[in-house]
Amino acid sequence: MQTASVHGMWSSRLMFIMAATGSAVGLGNIWRFPYITSDNGGGAFVLVYLACILLVGLPILFSEIIIGRRGRMSPINSLRELARDSGASRAWMGLGWMGVIAGFLILSFYSVVAGWTLHYAWLYFKQLFLGAEAIADPGATFGALLANPGELIFWHGVFMVMTVSVVALGVEKGLERAVSILMPMLFVLLLVLLGYAMTTGHFGEAVGFLFKPDWSSVNGGMIVTAMGQAFFTLSLGMCAIMAYGAYLPSDVNIPRVGVAVAATDTSVALIAGLAIFPIAISFGIDPEGGGAGFIFTSLPLAFNEMTWGIAYGMAFFLLLSVAAWTSSISLLEPPTAYFVESSNLSRRTIALIIAALTWAMGLASVFSLNIWSEVTIGGKDIMSAIEYVAADIMLPVGGLLIAIFAGWVLSNRITRTELDENMPSWAYSTWLWITRVFTPLMILVVIGGILGVF
Ligand code: PHE
């Protein structure tokens, strides 16, 4: 058994928690969770999402860390080696490749949305220091941004350069430093926003919308989206957490760090929801059907009203960009680590090539917002179609295979040692059977349902 990875190691348990939380917490929590909750009718969606985090997300989160730490290599090579040692087929490395493709597709649109947040940070900076006018009509401001391919491509490019520069530096120098300072700051800012939301007089209404289930809104499509969001928000199903698990010191207790990461990620999403919905309602914005621009068209209204609102708006969008940054790093790390192991090129060159390809792919999402807005795939514009296929379909399918690999391919001796040798038998058996049977079945039923197999 290898005890260290060639790519470096996290310097402590806390560093892994920070990095994995940095990967998990991002646009998924603050941009995607509010907007798809809004589009899916609130309460019932949130409860299905929470159930998916617990019953599907957590067991797979453990599985990814186990596989990563046991393999100590990039996901593709870890899966290949572990499959070989277990007498299973080399074809399991295909799971790693599928993760690379899912990550490539996700990063392609993710960096476009991260570009929006950078643009907004810049808008507030201009207001604060250069005397630019306030965002009087946020809907119009957002619309103008989407209509401008040049602007979108510029910010999308800036974000990609940020991502590649961290990945190029490697684990200790790049990833750790970026996450440890900025994540806690975003959390504090969200709490301030929550405090403001509580003063709007619409907090109770928002709580009702978010948590009072209207079961009539439950349908197959909504359940697929809720499960997809559970995967997306925890960075699961594409081997990002597996890649980070490879740098986790051997003596760290996996269930404990796994629960810490999932709990933090879920709290951030819920706090974001509790902050954003009261604000939207108080400015007369319908909490339902907000669409992908939801936070960009609602929050600026509050920033206009708040004391120090403009400085606050700048800090908010800047830190949201940072949260997106610590997530995008983990989307780029698995393929980069693989090619570092399997080619003679330097980490820098590899990261740069993959980022350039992803940036080019992102142009499809950029143009789908303006010059190609008429083009649809299965009734969705190009960007939404990529988001749907990668997040809602590919991640759960990846998660299904990861659960099968951890539950059935790896021996019980291995998974038990990695999880926690001193774990009571009942706790281990519970994890094992949930991972072996329950989680795969849930995913099969949901994905099978949407693909029309059932
Ligand atoms: N979890 C990230 C977010 O919520 C997105 C992500 C998905 C990152 C998959 C890595 C892998 O923003």
Side-chain angles (χ1 to χ4, degrees), residues 143-182:
L145 171 64
L146 297 197
N148 188 340
E151 190 92 28
L152 292 168
I153 292 172
F154 172 75
W155 291 109
H156 162 53
V158 171
F159 185 75
M160 204 56 103
V161 169
M162 287 164 59
T163 303
V164 81
S165 31
V166 175
V167 176
L169 290 176
V171 171
E172 285 113 354
K173 275 190 256 136
L175 309 192
E176 281 202 359
R177 221 176 301 150
V179 293
S180 57
I181 318 161
L182 300 155

Side-chain angles (χ1 to χ4, degrees), residues 267-290:
S267 334
V268 172
L270 294 179
I271 294 175
L274 285 171
I276 290 158
F277 281 95
I279 290 175
I281 296 170
S282 74
F283 286 99
I285 294 177
D286 189 346
E288 283 200 51

Side-chain angles (χ1 to χ4, degrees), residues 20-33 102-103 106-107 109-110 229-241 265 320 323-324 326-332 334 391 395:
T21 314
S23 165
V25 174
L27 295 171
N29 308 61
I30 296 167
W31 160 71
R32 197 169 193 256
F33 174 72
I106 291 176
L107 187 55
F109 74 80
Y110 200 84
Q229 173 63 9
F231 278 94
F232 187 83
T233 192
L234 290 175
S235 305
L236 294 178
M238 56 133 306
C239 310
I241 297 293
D265 183 75
L320 181 53
T326 56
S327 300
S328 63
I329 293 166
S330 69
L331 287 160
L332 195 55
L395 295 185

Side-chain angles (χ1 to χ4, degrees), residues 66-225:
I66 291 173
I67 298 169
R69 184 163 78 178
R70 189 72 187 186
R72 287 276 183 239
M73 278 181 278
S74 68
I76 294 174
N77 284 329
S78 289
L79 286 164
R80 195 193 53 204
E81 291 298 302
L82 291 175
R84 204 197 49 198
D85 293 349
S86 314
S89 159
R90 273 170 61 94
W92 275 104
M93 69 193 277
L95 168 57
W97 278 108
M98 194 174 93
V100 165
I101 295 167
F104 171 74
L105 292 175
I106 291 176
L107 187 55
S108 80
F109 74 80
Y110 200 84
S111 56
V112 173
V113 178
W116 300 351
T117 66
L118 282 173
H119 173 79
Y120 270 69
W122 171 239
L123 286 184
Y124 281 104
F125 176 85
K126 279 199 302 189
Q127 263 185 69
L128 197 59
F129 298 111
L130 307 175
E133 280 177 31
I135 301 176
D137 179 352
T141 304
F142 186 65
L145 171 64
L146 297 197
N148 188 340
E151 190 92 28
L152 292 168
I153 292 172
F154 172 75
W155 291 109
H156 162 53
V158 171
F159 185 75
M160 204 56 103
V161 169
M162 287 164 59
T163 303
V164 81
S165 31
V166 175
V167 176
L169 290 176
V171 171
E172 285 113 354
K173 275 190 256 136
L175 309 192
E176 281 202 359
R177 221 176 301 150
V179 293
S180 57
I181 318 161
L182 300 155
M183 295 300 296
M185 276 166 69
L186 176 70
F187 196 70
V188 171
L189 231 62
L190 266 182
L191 289 179
V192 175
L193 199 61
L194 178 66
Y196 175 84
M198 286 178 166
T199 67
T200 58
H202 294 271
F203 195 67
E205 236 172 293
V207 171
F209 179 75
L210 281 172
F211 296 109
K212 221 165 82 210
D214 165 12
W215 296 115
S216 69
S217 67
V218 179
N219 60 51
M222 178 260 225
I223 295 177
V224 171
T225 312

